[in-house]
Structure formats: structure tokens, C-alpha cells
Amino acid sequence: AMAAIRQKNSYYGAFYRRIATRRGKQRALVAVMHKLTVAIWHVLHDRTGHKDLGADYHTRKNPQRAMRRMIREANALGLTIRFDPA
């Protein structure tokens, strides 16, 4: 788990950073250990390969939530943001 969270562009590293900000480093490490255990079980049980989802998995999964988070963080810094469609 320690090696997995040190990788910057991995799903487990991003998951660790998301949980550690809310729950603390130790709980986040245990959560990553649990995720790895479940992933290993699925690899062994289903006899499939492991595919890393990527650090931006949650952003791709729910882009509106990521947008709200960015706006909230900017407002906390005293900035006003306007997004125009591309």
C-alpha cells in the first residue's frame, strides 16, 4: 500500500490523498490496503489482469462535481470564476 500511494498518477495515490484530507493518514492507508485486497481478490478469483483506473478517474466519472469543487475552492480564496462552454 505504501508503494501504491507514492505513485502520483495512480488511482490508489489519488484515493489516498482524497481520504487523507478528510480522515487522516492512517485511516487513508488502511482504506488503500482494503482497496488493494479487494482488487487482488478479484484478480485471483476472476483470473483477469489488473487495470489502474488513473488519478483522474473521479473527475472523469463526475465532471460536474469536480467543477463545483473548483468553484468552492476559488470562492474560499476570494476569487470569482466564470466558465464559458468551449
Side-chain angles (χ1 to χ4, degrees), residues 25 50 69 73:
K25 292 180 179 181
H50 180 265
R69 180 184 54 80
E73 288 177 3

Side-chain angles (χ1 to χ4, degrees), residues 3 6-7 20 36 42 56 62 67 72 75:
R6 287 193 178 124
Q7 304 236 339
L36 282 170
H42 281 287
D56 61 342
N62 194 346
M67 187 76 71
R72 200 170 41 243
N75 289 340

Side-chain angles (χ1 to χ4, degrees), residues 1 5 11 20-21 25 30 33-34 38 41-42 45-46 57 60-61 82 84:
I5 64 174
Y11 172 76
T21 58
K25 292 180 179 181
V30 171
M33 286 181 205
H34 182 262
V38 170
W41 184 87
H42 281 287
H45 180 266
D46 301 335
Y57 171 74
R60 285 183 285 123
K61 183 176 153 186
R82 182 182 66 172
D84 294 326

Side-chain angles (χ1 to χ4, degrees), residues 17-80:
R17 287 186 295 278
R18 286 179 62 232
I19 300 298
T21 58
R22 294 190 315 254
R23 301 293 303 234
K25 292 180 179 181
Q26 288 298 324
R27 282 185 183 251
L29 183 61
V30 171
V32 171
M33 286 181 205
H34 182 262
K35 279 233 184 246
L36 282 170
T37 304
V38 170
I40 290 169
W41 184 87
H42 281 287
V43 165
L44 295 175
H45 180 266
D46 301 335
R47 293 189 174 111
T48 61
H50 180 265
K51 180 182 175 216
D52 190 48
L53 298 173
D56 61 342
Y57 171 74
H58 293 286
T59 304
R60 285 183 285 123
K61 183 176 153 186
N62 194 346
Q64 290 83 19
R65 185 177 196 180
M67 187 76 71
R68 285 193 309 266
R69 180 184 54 80
M70 286 185 240
I71 292 170
R72 200 170 41 243
E73 288 177 3
N75 289 340
L77 293 172
L79 302 171
T80 304

